Amino acid sequence: MSCRPICAVFATLAFASVGSAQIGNRAQLATAPDFLRNALNAGGLSYTGTRTVEFLTGQRWRTHTEYVTHQGARTRIEVAVARGKGPVAVEDGTQRWEYFPGRNEIEQLPARNDDSIRRLAGQVASHIRERWTIGQEDGGEVAGIATKLAVFTDRRGVVRERLYIDPQTGMILKRIVYDLAGAEKAGFRYETIDYTASIPEQAFALNFPGAKVVTVHERLSRIQRRLGFFTNRLRSSRYRLDSVKEFKAGTENGIAQFYSIGDRKFAVVQTRGPLDPGKLRQLSSPKTNVYTCQRNGETIAIVGEIDERSLEEISRDLTQVNP
Amino acid sequence: MKHEKEVDEMQGRTESELDALLESSEQISIHRLVASLKDEPIDLARRSRLNERVLQMAHRSERRRKLFRIWSPTLGLGAAAALTLVLIVPRQASVTVTNGAQEAAIATTLKDDSVAKDVEGAGVIDMDAEQESNAEAFTKNADRADDGQ
């Protein structure tokens, strides 16, 4: 007896709430300051610039510089490296290609385009709902442009985010994100920005002769084989595989498959050995739910800000595919 | 037993003693109370109502028996289906005691990815993926060396 049709109905019902949530978000965002609303609608800009990105991974700060070219839905980002070529990412609004010179491969992924702006809009709406304070200040100059600063303070009085916005264009020129305790955990800052630069058409094409193109699914299979895992993944095309990452916990390896369905994100994690879902939930962000199951001796955890029943429905779509 | 004892006691008494007992104040007050009770004719309407109720109750229990005969196989099938689902559906891993290292590594990986995607948007490139090629190449070379041996 196959339970897939029933699962599909359950999953559809579970995610049907996304649409109504978006309508709710629009109502919340209508109360946000004008310059902030402009920033959340500034996806169609054209510019070139240089930005420094910093984020904390575990206990270590990672910093890199990017050369950014953006035109409408299209983006090119080159990572600056000390010597030789660095990775390059290009997006055309629907697809994304990441070139890794070290392995001379181009990885094909779904586009992220204005995903971060969309997620930011959702977060701002949620902050307004949760009665965070949105302060407006003079942000000073960033990349030679006078900015307006939006400061998000939670109900405990802890500053959780700062956005430095160009009030003329709505461009977010600097962003600092803080953790629950108010310590900085990630951010970026544009060093230069040029809204008038002419952008050649070939800026959004990758031309690396001899580079092999691999899809994100192929890369997942490769990592699974290399680390000795079964080729478990979600079968339904409703779940979009956005990226894959391997990680290490002591001597054990694990694989995180990052999926999305509409605006919702979740991860399917493959590990070996026992896993305590309660502990994982405790260590994750507050709204996170965890569902774990066993497949072929592997422990699979499905983790996301989605109710546990939907996570369980997702687990039923797990299939071992032939790579 | 108690009643037999009382009868035996009575049989041991003389006629005059029994007459005296019958004329006691207690016996007289009970006699008056019984005499004051009205003679009520048997209420046929009430009896009829009682009969109807007994009939209704008999019908009801018959209906229950019929329903049970119809539903018992259905309930059985339902229970069997529920049991099948419980056996087929992947079960939540049993609660285990772990040292938390794996959970911490997963939580950190997922949080880092979320923050990186939130903040960087289109810019986020998995820099570890660049190093992955070296691990891949190393594995391939090791495989070749193994094959050569």
Side-chain angles (χ1 to χ4, degrees):
Chain A
M1 184 185 76
S2 169
C3 65
R4 287 189 198 289
I6 304 164
C7 296
V9 171
F10 270 120
T12 309
L13 287 172
F15 292 105
S17 58
V18 173
S20 56
Q22 281 172 343
I23 294 165
N25 283 353
R26 272 201 291 275
Q28 305 293 340
L29 292 174
T31 65
D34 286 347
F35 76 101
L36 181 57
R37 276 210 314 275
N38 286 347
L40 301 175
N41 293 317
L45 291 172
S46 288
Y47 56 86
T48 60
T50 309
R51 74 170 181 173
T52 305
V53 180
E54 286 184 315
F55 55 96
L56 194 63
T57 54
Q59 300 293 313
R60 198 158 60 96
W61 275 99
R62 287 190 172 197
T63 307
H64 69 264
T65 301
E66 297 173 342
Y67 304 114
V68 185
T69 306
H70 188 86
Q71 189 175 56
R74 299 186 299 175
T75 308
R76 180 189 181 94
I77 291 179
E78 288 181 42
V79 178
V81 288
R83 213 177 291 168
K85 283 180 197 163
V88 183
V90 166
E91 286 196 18
D92 69 355
T94 54
Q95 291 286 311
R96 175 184 174 91
W97 295 270
E98 289 180 0
Y99 172 66
F100 294 96
R103 49 189 234 231
N104 198 27
E105 273 185 351
I106 295 169
E107 194 177 332
Q108 196 181 340
L109 306 140
R112 295 206 185 110
N113 44 51
D114 55 353
D115 198 29
S116 66
I117 295 289
R118 204 169 43 236
R119 286 173 76 161
L120 176 62
Q123 286 165 6
V124 171
S126 164
H127 298 341
I128 293 170
R129 255 195 308 275
E130 288 165 17
R131 293 184 198 161
W132 286 23
T133 313
I134 305 176
Q136 300 178 53
E137 292 172 24
D138 177 4
E141 278 200 2
V142 180
I145 292 169
T147 62
K148 278 195 132 183
L149 168 63
V151 183
F152 295 84
T153 309
D154 69 18
R155 288 172 73 179
R156 298 168 302 140
V158 178
V159 172
R160 303 290 299 279
E161 185 148 1
R162 283 192 161 91
L163 294 175
Y164 296 75
I165 297 163
D166 176 353
Q168 302 300 315
T169 61
M171 176 83 183
I172 300 171
L173 293 172
K174 185 177 171 184
R175 185 175 177 187
I176 308 171
V177 181
Y178 304 87
D179 66 15
L180 281 167
E184 211 174 310
K185 66 173 181 181
F188 68 76
R189 177 196 170 97
Y190 274 88
E191 307 300 337
T192 64
I193 186 95
D194 184 355
Y195 298 115
T196 59
S198 69
I199 299 168
E201 195 59 30
Q202 62 266 32
F204 305 106
L206 284 182
N207 186 20
F208 296 104
K212 188 188 169 196
V213 178
V214 291
T215 65
V216 64
H217 288 96
E218 284 168 343
R219 183 161 165 253
L220 169 61
S221 297
R222 195 164 69 183
I223 295 173
Q224 284 172 323
R225 273 200 312 272
R226 178 161 52 79
L227 300 181
F229 280 96
F230 284 94
T231 51
N232 286 315
R233 70 182 59 160
L234 297 180
R235 196 182 67 152
S236 169
S237 57
R238 284 176 299 129
Y239 305 121
R240 194 182 77 172
L241 180 60
D242 290 327
S243 59
V244 182
K245 198 169 175 64
E246 57 180 275
F247 62 90
K248 223 169 170 64
T251 53
E252 286 292 336
N253 287 302
I255 302 170
Q257 305 172 27
F258 296 95
Y259 289 89
S260 57
I261 176 165
D263 282 351
R264 305 268 186 114
K265 310 273 177 194
F266 62 92
V268 173
V269 181
Q270 279 179 278
T271 60
R272 291 190 193 88
L275 197 63
D276 182 345
K279 211 173 268 179
L280 179 54
R281 198 177 297 117
Q282 213 175 0
L283 292 165
S284 305
S285 49
K287 292 173 191 165
T288 302
N289 276 312
V290 178
Y291 180 81
T292 58
C293 57
Q294 297 283 335
R295 286 288 165 99
N296 312 106
E298 292 173 3
T299 304
I300 308 241
I302 304 176
V303 189
E305 290 184 7
I306 298 174
D307 64 281
E308 207 170 326
R309 190 186 166 83
S310 301
L311 294 179
E312 189 184 343
E313 296 301 334
I314 292 166
S315 79
R316 293 186 193 155
D317 197 62
L318 272 169
T319 314
Q320 194 182 325
V321 297
N322 294 319
Chain B
M1 290 288 282
K2 195 182 170 190
H3 180 69
E4 282 172 12
K5 208 176 173 183
E6 279 172 2
V7 170
D8 289 344
E9 278 175 9
M10 289 287 188
Q11 279 173 351
R13 286 179 183 175
T14 61
E15 200 173 312
S16 58
E17 280 174 336
L18 287 171
D19 284 343
L21 277 172
L22 282 169
E23 279 166 20
S24 69
S25 61
E26 281 173 12
Q27 287 297 326
I28 288 164
S29 64
I30 287 167
H31 174 76
R32 276 183 195 149
L33 188 72
V34 172
S36 69
L37 288 172
K38 282 179 189 169
D39 275 348
E40 281 184 35
I42 299 164
D43 189 346
L44 290 174
R46 190 164 163 267
R47 283 189 65 176
S48 167
R49 276 201 303 274
L50 277 170
N51 282 339
E52 274 174 19
R53 276 186 67 188
V54 169
L55 266 172
Q56 273 178 356
M57 281 169 77
H59 277 304
R60 225 178 288 158
S61 59
E62 180 62 24
R63 223 181 304 152
R64 266 191 217 134
R65 263 198 298 276
K66 275 183 188 167
L67 277 173
F68 182 75
R69 270 201 295 275
I70 295 165
W71 282 104
S72 58
T74 318
L75 286 170
L77 275 174
L83 185 68
T84 312
L85 268 175
V86 166
L87 293 173
I88 289 173
V89 168
R91 267 165 288 174
Q92 185 89 354
S94 57
V95 176
T96 40
V97 179
T98 61
N99 64 7
Q102 195 143 236
E103 290 84 352
I106 295 170
T108 305
T109 304
L110 303 190
K111 269 186 198 167
D112 287 351
D113 183 82
S114 172
V115 169
K117 280 176 183 160
D118 267 358
V119 175
E120 286 192 74
V124 63
I125 294 176
D126 182 5
M127 298 300 274
D128 290 337
E130 177 72 335
Q131 278 127 44
E132 183 186 300
S133 58
N134 299 330
E136 188 79 7
F138 179 79
T139 313
K140 277 178 187 164
N141 289 339
D143 288 347
R144 278 190 207 117
D146 287 346
D147 291 344
Q149 278 172 358

